[in-house]
Every structure is written in structure tokens, then in C-alpha cells.
Amino acid sequence: MKVFVGKLFILMGVFLRSDVVIANLIKNIRPVDYGAFVESRIQYLKSEKNYDLIMIGDSHLADAIDTRILEEKCQISAYNLAIYHATPFDNYFFLKKVLDSGKKPKYLVLGTNPEMFYKKAMPSKYLYSIVDDRCLNIEMNMRGQGNFDAYALMKSGNEKYLVPTLFKKISGETYKPTRKVKAVYNGFLEFTNQTENLDWDHFSVKGKKLQSEQIRYFCKLIELAVNNNMQVVIANPPIWKNKSNAFENTTYFLAFKRTLELVSEKYKLPIYNQSNREMDPVLVKKDFLNLDHLNYSGAQKTTSNFAQWYNNNRKLN
């Protein structure tokens, strides 16, 4: 029996070590733009520095707020932690990770958008890589609406989203970055390119339904922040105005707008760009990466506008 147990421990040790080695090898093939995004979030969690303000949301917020401009105009230190594809479910557990890492931010900018609440409550593709925490991965899987993901138990499993990239690299296909990153500052990626061959005028807005579980986690996220003495504001990053036109009279968008109003009333939180049209007169096509995301040109305009609004809506300590 002792021999069997000894062999079992040896096998487990070999497995865990191999898992780490494979994970490190896979990390080396991260596309340059997504690698910069992931690493900037990991660096924040590993750093001992506390920032006054953090931003949590999805890619809309990640691309919209330049931390350099925000720091200059608001005279506070800031870090953009928004995660591509994130939902309120993801953001709740990510804020838990931030707080568990010893960080004590004073302010939280909580990003939202009309498409954030229709997805099932389950971990999104980049969250595992960033939090790199088996215990938290298991908790997210247990509480999520999807099937249990065994990959959550493995470090190499955290990087499973890179498998298609690996096959493309093996086949010799050249990677074309979505964002041609020129600089990274406190989580904000500076890029000026635009996706090619966009149709700026015609949209197919599919019928969607808000997920009650995402709304519940949105409220839990706010309560977690408030209970940790953070001042919270909600921010709706702008999207291309013609897409806003297609969205605004849909049942889904009206339900989203009403949900934000109710949450704002319940927790007494101000909302930036509540109409979703605040920046329409200012933003032009060249300010966008695509129909949903700004590039650096649009981020400069939006951050300046947001900073002015924020200075008028936050409480000074």
C-alpha cells in the first residue's frame, strides 16, 4: 500500500510539473496584441503598488479609457483592468481576486454595454489566464451556469483559447493582430488601426434576452465594491452611432437601459453616457477600431469627456 501511495504521489508530481511546463510553452505563442492585454492585467495582480482607481468591464471599456489622460485630468493614479469578453459574472470574481491580492482601490469605474448581459453566467475565455488561481477557477465553475470545465484544474487548461493560434502557427499562417499595439500604460493599449472592410450602415440586430443571473452578479459586484469602501460609477463606452440607432428601439436594449436605471437608483450610482449617445456628435469613423470598439483616436476624445464628467460626479476624499 505504501508503495502504491508513493507511486501515486510521484505521478501527481510529474503531472503537475508537466502541466506547468506545457502552460509556459503555450504562453509563448500568445498573439502580440492579446499577449500585451493579458500580461498587463497579470502585472497589476503581481504588483505591490496600489492605484487610486481601477476600471473593470469588457473590451469596450478596455479600449475606451486611456489611463494617462485620466490620471492627468483627475489627478489620481488609475489602472484599466477591463477584460475582453468579460460579463458581470466574470467581473465579480475578478474583483474578488483583486481584493484578495491585497489591493485597496478607492474608486471603481464599472463598464457596461448593451451586449454584456445576454451571455450565460460562466467564466469567459481570458479570465482563467489572468487570475491563474485553481481555487477561484473551481469556484467560478461551481457557481456558473455551464458544465464543469475540467481544464480549470490545470494551468495549461487556462491557455486553451490559444490552441487555434497554435495550429495556425504550425501551418505557417501569418497572424494579423486585431489591435496593432504601439504602447501599453497601466492596462490601456494604444493602437490607431481600424478593421478592414467594415459595413458602417447596415446591421442585423438579433433578438436577445437579458440573463437574470448576470444582473444578479452585476449587483453583487457593486455590493462587493461598496463593502470594501470603493466609490463606484457606471460607464457606458460609446459604440458607432449607426449601430446605436439599430439597437435603441429593440426590446433588448430597452430592458438593458431600464436595468441600469433601476441599479443606479438602488445603489445611488451615477451613469456616464446613460443615453448611449453622449459622444455621437464628436466621434467619427476614424475614431473606431470597429463598430463596437474605439481606437486611440476615439479613446482620447472619450477619456477627456469622461474625465470632465467624472470630476463632477465623484466624491473627493
Side-chain angles (χ1 to χ4, degrees):
M1 184 65 180
K2 290 182 179 179
V3 174
F4 171 76
V5 173
K7 288 182 178 180
L8 183 61
F9 273 103
I10 291 173
L11 286 173
M12 288 179 61
V14 171
F15 171 78
L16 292 173
R17 180 57 184 164
S18 299
D19 180 38
V20 172
V21 171
I22 293 170
N24 289 333
L25 289 173
I26 296 176
K27 288 177 184 178
N28 291 330
I29 64 164
R30 279 179 181 156
V32 60
D33 49 344
Y34 288 94
F37 144 71
V38 170
E39 286 300 323
S40 64
R41 274 70 182 157
I42 293 174
Q43 288 171 10
Y44 171 85
L45 292 174
K46 290 182 177 179
S47 171
E48 295 182 359
K49 182 175 179 180
N50 262 310
Y51 291 82
D52 297 322
L53 178 147
I54 60 172
M55 290 164 263
I56 288 181
D58 67 357
S59 54
H60 295 76
L61 187 67
D63 293 336
I65 304 296
D66 183 346
T67 44
R68 295 167 296 192
I69 297 174
L70 193 64
E71 288 185 336
E72 178 185 351
K73 292 186 176 293
C74 297
Q75 294 299 297
I76 53 175
S77 59
Y79 209 105
N80 193 329
L81 291 171
I83 298 176
Y84 303 164
H85 299 285
T87 66
F89 177 84
D90 298 301
N91 291 332
Y92 168 76
F93 285 101
F94 184 54
L95 182 58
K96 280 189 66 175
K97 178 66 177 181
V98 167
L99 297 171
D100 288 346
S101 71
K103 303 293 191 297
K104 296 180 180 179
K106 300 174 184 177
Y107 310 105
L108 172 64
V109 177
L110 182 55
T112 62
N113 71 77
E115 299 188 14
M116 206 175 189
F117 291 84
Y118 76 87
K119 302 173 184 176
K120 284 187 176 181
M122 53 193 295
S124 58
K125 64 190 293 186
Y126 298 111
L127 190 60
Y128 288 154
S129 299
I130 293 170
V131 301
D132 194 22
D133 185 326
R134 281 196 181 98
C135 292
L136 188 59
N137 288 356
I138 293 171
E139 182 182 357
M140 289 188 290
N141 267 273
M142 296 295 290
R143 297 186 184 280
Q145 293 178 305
N147 296 326
F148 187 86
D149 185 358
Y151 287 111
L153 302 174
M154 301 185 296
K155 286 186 175 292
S156 57
N158 293 349
E159 310 297 331
K160 66 179 182 178
Y161 70 91
L162 290 170
V163 172
T165 304
L166 176 61
F167 283 119
K168 288 179 181 179
K169 193 167 186 177
I170 292 173
S171 68
E173 184 177 336
T174 301
Y175 175 73
K176 295 181 180 180
T178 303
R179 298 163 175 82
K180 297 179 181 178
V181 180
K182 297 183 177 181
V184 181
Y185 182 81
N186 288 1
F188 175 74
L189 276 58
E190 177 186 335
F191 59 90
T192 56
N193 64 294
Q194 187 173 87
T195 305
E196 298 176 354
N197 303 317
L198 293 172
D199 185 345
W200 295 91
D201 300 308
H202 302 94
F203 310 96
S204 176
V205 181
K206 298 179 180 178
K208 297 171 182 176
K209 183 179 179 181
L210 269 67
Q211 297 286 331
S212 59
E213 191 70 351
Q214 292 288 11
I215 297 172
R216 186 172 77 87
Y217 270 97
F218 190 63
C219 294
K220 281 171 65 71
L221 169 59
I222 292 169
E223 290 167 4
L224 178 62
V226 171
N227 289 340
N228 281 273
N229 302 312
M230 300 172 67
Q231 295 178 21
V232 183
V233 300
I234 298 171
N236 286 326
I239 61 176
W240 174 237
K241 57 187 177 183
N242 289 359
K243 187 167 184 178
S244 286
N245 291 338
F247 253 127
E248 65 181 2
N249 292 320
T250 63
T251 302
Y252 172 75
F253 179 78
L254 294 174
F256 162 78
K257 188 175 179 181
R258 181 55 181 159
T259 296
L260 286 194
E261 289 172 352
L262 291 173
V263 170
S264 173
E265 292 171 7
K266 179 178 180 179
Y267 297 103
K268 304 294 187 286
L269 303 179
I271 304 175
Y272 171 73
N273 191 26
Q274 184 168 2
S275 67
N276 223 44
R277 312 309 295 263
E278 175 79 20
M279 295 297 292
D280 281 3
V282 180
L283 296 173
V284 295
K285 289 180 182 178
K286 70 176 183 178
D287 295 324
F288 288 84
L289 166 69
N290 52 36
L291 305 173
D292 296 295
H293 302 86
L294 299 170
N295 60 23
Y296 181 52
S297 175
Q300 287 180 296
K301 296 176 181 179
T302 300
T303 308
S304 294
N305 182 271
F306 171 78
Q308 182 178 359
W309 175 91
Y310 190 65
N311 282 333
N312 292 330
N313 283 276
R314 73 181 171 105
K315 299 175 184 177
L316 297 174
N317 288 340

